[in-house]
Structures are given as C-alpha cells and as structure tokens.
Amino acid sequence: MPGSACTLSLSVFGWGNDLGGKVGVAVKFPMTCAMLALALGGCGYSVDKRHGIDPALDPVAIETAVQARARILTAFAADARVPEGDPSYWHGVAEAGFNHVQDECRVYFQQLHSLSRGRERARAGFGAASAATTAILALTGASPLTEVLVPPAFSVGAAATDVVIGSYLYRAYSPAAAWIVVRRSLAAHRRAVSAGRVDSAPAAYRAIQEHLDICLPVSIEGALAGRGAPPGDGSELGTSTGRGNAGAGKTSGRGDAGRGEPRRTDPAPTLVAGVEEILAPAIASRGTKEFLVQLQEKLCVPLAERGVVGVTTKAMVEIFEDWKYPRIPRERDGKLTDRDTVALREEGGCPDNGPRNLYEKAAFTADRDGANALSELVKALNRTKVGEDIDPGASLEASRKKIAAVRANPAFAGRLSVRLPGAMAEQVTRDLVSVLPRPGAGP
C-alpha cells in the first residue's frame, strides 16, 4: 500500500439533557498509511528505525536518497529562479526551501489551533451542562442513582474529546504560544544561514533540512519540555547552523566548544513563595509570578491577591477541584496538576459583576439552563428556614446574604467539604448545593 492514503474518521458526541440543551462535538482527523504502519505494522512499510539506525550503510538506500535529494533541490532551484552560475545560486535554492517549510509549518499550527479550540469549546460545553444539570438534580430531589450517573456521563464526554484530540496538541503550551516560539526560531535560523556560505548542493540541502527540523513535533516538544517557559529570543529551537558555517557544513551552536565560547545558560525563574501549596509539581516554568497571575485570573481570584498565594487563591483551587472531581477524592488535594493548569488556561475568568467563582460561572449561565438552576437554588435556600426568605425571582447577587447565613448555620456548615474564608462566605459552591434541602425536606 505504499503511496496510497489510508484515512480514519472518528466522531464523538455528547448527550442531550432534560433541559432541552444539547452538547456535542464531532472530530475528524486523517491518518496516513505511514502512521498506521508504525502502529499496526501494515501497509507494507519495511523501514523501521524505532530501535536506531542501521549499523552499516546500504548502497541501494543511499542511491535512492541521493536521487530524492536531487529532485528536491531541482524543484527549489526552479522556484528560486537564480542563474546557475550566480554566486548566490545555492543560497537562493535554500531560501526557496525555507519558504516551503515555513508554509507547511504555518498550516500545521493552524490545524493544531483549530483542533485545540474545538476541543476546549466541547469541554466547556460539557462542563457547563454538567454543572447546571447537577445543580438542578441536587435541588429537585433526583434519585441518588441519577446523581451518581449523570455527572460521570458528562465527564466521559469530555474525556473522550481529549482522547481523540489530546495526542495532537502540546499539553504545556497552547498551539498559539508554541507557534510564536517556532516562528522566532525559524526567523533566527534564516538569519544565521543568510550570514553564512551556502555554496553547494549538500550545504543547501542541509540548511533546508535544519529549517524543517525546527518544526518537527519531536523538536518542539523536546525544547518546550527541556526549557520550561521559552525565553523567546528565537534560539530555543535553533539548529546547528551558526554564523559563517552554513556552507562549510560544520555543526556549531551557541557555546560550541570548538569555538572556545562558554555555553550561555538562562537564569532560573524565581518561584513565588507558597506556590508549591497549590501546584503539583511546582516546577520552575509554572511557579513564576507571571504564570501565577494568569492562573489566578482564570480561577476568578480578585485583583487584590494576584501575584501572591493567599487564602482566596487556595479556596478557589478547592472550588475548582470540587466542581471538576466531585466523586474522585484523590484528585481533591488542593493542588493543580499540569492537566488542570492546561484546562484552566482556556477558561475566561469571571466578569466584574455576577459569578464569583468557576462553579457559579458554569452553573448560573445567562441562558434558560442557568435561570432554572438559579430558581432552584433560591427555592432550596428558602427551604432551609435560615434567616428571612428571599424573593423567588431574586438574582444571584440578591441571594448573597442568604447564602452566607446558610453557610454559617451549624446544620449545614459541618457537612461542607470546601472551607471558604470569611470574604468568600457569600459564594455558591457545588458542595453547598449538594447539602441544601430538597422539595418536601427540612434543613
């Protein structure tokens, strides 16, 4: 089957819910025979380098490779349109190759970006529908079996979306952030080659191949994983081509021992005090003040506490975990994993007025589902008989004092799993909704 295309399409759909809402995602992706061959051993491919390259050179393979390289350079020479005797002939060929590689790389990242946005839209839909549905089920007297089955159903939908798409994306960085790094590196490599001498076919091919190496997933993932937060100076994914050596075919990088230059190291980022209490692991790239502030914005932490790890930040982490992992105690340890931080980067934070934490934002949305959830919340708060009743049509803001009073009441306080500081006592959390009385029940 070499030369033929094998494709695989897979669709994952969400579930409709009782409120008339519908959440779903359809994902299609192609797999070539080459990829299937690696996984299944099919399509008749005989090249297998998983255990290393061959210990001896194969003359037949060499002849085939030389012919392939000649065809590639001929095609780029036609694109460059530089007279063959011109001193810049091979450099022009290399520049044409760079343009082709950069076009391919740009399309690759655009597809990754589309996949990423599609995944996060699907996950956000699953999360919002799950929160609203769970709130209504908890407040309207749904059977215990329904409460146990429905939230995991939404979780399965979100997890399935990740299974289909997750392997195509960079977990630590969004495609947009990774593309900025790659683009800078491509530009830096192009500048380095421009300053050198590309004066032969092997030198031109080598320069093009190095340009291609920058955009390979293995290079990108290795650089991002090894350097944490990229410095963004265009060298983080740089290749061996250095100033003045492209034509000679030497491998010389920053700090090359052959040039007698010391290797430059980037200063280690300073970790914010207490960040290890909310991150697991608290590695350098995720413990900086900049990263913490971005995380706090997504968690809905007020401006006054951003940049430091305070009681509000810790409480917001607990609210997030209680919302995302209601029946997985081992996941609720007050610390965000790498998976959590990636998911949070796609959250939009909370508006200045309205929801004050991520659970409120997901449960009390500005649509019919959110209005139903809020209506059921108000009814349940009134059923507690704590303090004065509030108007059945009260807004979330108008219900805040009642929420704080219920939280402080001994009949409910001891049953709450999320402990909030006094300044957050007026907020709604998943555990509060779960302990409020249902229709026909007392406090």
Side-chain angles (χ1 to χ4, degrees):
M1 291 178 62
S4 64
C6 296
T7 60
L8 173 66
S9 294
L10 178 62
S11 296
V12 179
F13 294 93
W15 291 264
N17 56 48
D18 328 355
L19 305 175
K22 188 173 183 180
V23 181
V25 57
V27 180
K28 292 185 177 180
F29 58 91
M31 284 189 175
T32 63
C33 270
M35 294 182 67
L36 291 176
L38 291 175
L40 306 176
C43 288
Y45 279 83
S46 59
V47 178
D48 185 351
K49 303 295 185 184
R50 289 174 293 175
H51 304 293
I53 63 175
D54 296 332
L57 297 177
D58 182 348
V60 175
I62 292 173
E63 289 175 355
T64 302
V66 169
Q67 292 173 4
R69 286 196 291 270
R71 291 180 60 188
I72 291 170
L73 292 177
T74 298
F76 288 141
D79 183 31
R81 301 179 183 178
V82 178
E84 190 163 353
D86 192 286
S88 64
Y89 177 79
W90 289 114
H91 182 264
V93 172
E95 284 285 344
F98 295 164
N99 291 339
H100 175 77
V101 169
Q102 193 146 346
D103 286 345
E104 291 291 312
C105 196
R106 185 178 294 107
V107 172
Y108 167 57
F109 271 95
Q110 181 59 44
Q111 291 179 348
L112 283 185
H113 180 73
S114 298
L115 282 171
S116 177
R117 289 303 181 193
R119 180 189 68 172
E120 297 308 331
R121 282 196 296 269
R123 286 187 58 85
F126 280 121
S130 177
T133 303
T134 301
I136 293 173
L137 289 176
L139 293 167
T140 55
S143 69
L145 181 60
T146 302
E147 289 188 47
V148 169
L149 293 180
V150 171
F154 286 104
S155 297
V156 169
T161 305
D162 279 347
V163 168
V164 175
I165 304 176
S167 60
Y168 287 84
L169 308 175
Y170 301 108
R171 295 184 180 277
Y173 296 87
S174 68
W179 168 238
I180 291 174
V181 173
V182 171
R183 186 177 60 188
R184 289 172 177 170
S185 299
L186 291 171
H189 178 257
R190 189 185 288 256
R191 288 193 300 270
V193 172
S194 296
R197 293 181 298 107
V198 182
D199 54 6
S200 66
Y205 183 83
R206 176 188 180 83
I208 296 169
Q209 188 62 54
E210 287 177 336
H211 213 63
L212 178 62
D213 287 345
I214 295 174
C215 201
L216 293 179
V218 65
S219 302
I220 300 168
E221 291 181 0
L224 295 180
R227 299 180 68 95
D233 62 356
S235 63
E236 50 271 13
L237 299 180
T239 60
S240 59
T241 301
R243 183 177 298 274
N245 65 4
K250 297 178 182 178
T251 57
S252 176
R254 195 184 309 167
D256 189 337
R259 292 171 57 182
E261 296 176 6
R263 181 177 295 276
R264 191 186 78 180
T265 57
D266 297 312
T270 302
L271 269 65
V272 176
V275 75
E276 69 280 354
E277 298 181 42
I278 62 167
L279 293 178
I283 60 176
S285 62
R286 290 171 175 78
T288 62
K289 183 174 182 179
E290 179 182 7
F291 186 89
L292 175 61
V293 169
Q294 293 174 354
L295 203 60
Q296 289 173 320
E297 179 184 359
K298 305 302 183 182
L299 284 167
C300 304
V301 175
L303 288 171
E305 192 175 290
R306 292 185 190 174
V308 297
V309 180
V311 293
T312 303
T313 301
K314 295 176 183 177
M316 289 298 190
V317 171
E318 288 192 44
I319 292 172
F320 170 80
E321 289 183 325
D322 186 55
W323 166 43
K324 288 293 187 181
Y325 312 111
R327 291 174 177 84
I328 312 178
R330 67 177 182 276
E331 296 286 353
R332 301 202 304 274
D333 59 358
K335 294 185 178 182
L336 300 171
T337 64
D338 291 347
R339 179 184 61 183
D340 295 330
T341 58
V342 170
L344 278 170
R345 280 207 298 274
E346 301 300 331
E347 295 289 343
C350 293
D352 294 335
N353 297 311
R356 300 185 187 179
N357 62 55
L358 291 179
Y359 176 78
E360 288 188 356
K361 179 184 175 184
F364 308 116
T365 50
D367 54 16
R368 187 180 65 178
D369 292 353
N372 288 340
L374 178 58
S375 176
E376 295 299 331
L377 172 68
V378 171
K379 293 176 185 177
L381 289 171
N382 285 337
R383 284 195 292 268
T384 64
K385 305 304 179 183
V386 175
E388 296 182 2
D389 284 354
I390 51 179
D391 185 271
S395 66
L396 184 58
E397 288 304 310
S399 306
R400 295 291 184 188
K401 290 185 178 180
K402 182 79 167 182
I403 293 168
V406 172
R407 275 194 172 280
N409 189 281
F412 302 101
R415 297 157 59 190
L416 298 176
S417 58
V418 177
R419 306 298 174 181
L420 301 182
M424 298 176 64
E426 297 181 342
Q427 296 188 22
V428 183
T429 54
R430 188 208 62 84
D431 61 328
L432 173 65
V433 170
S434 68
V435 302
L436 291 177
R438 298 173 179 179

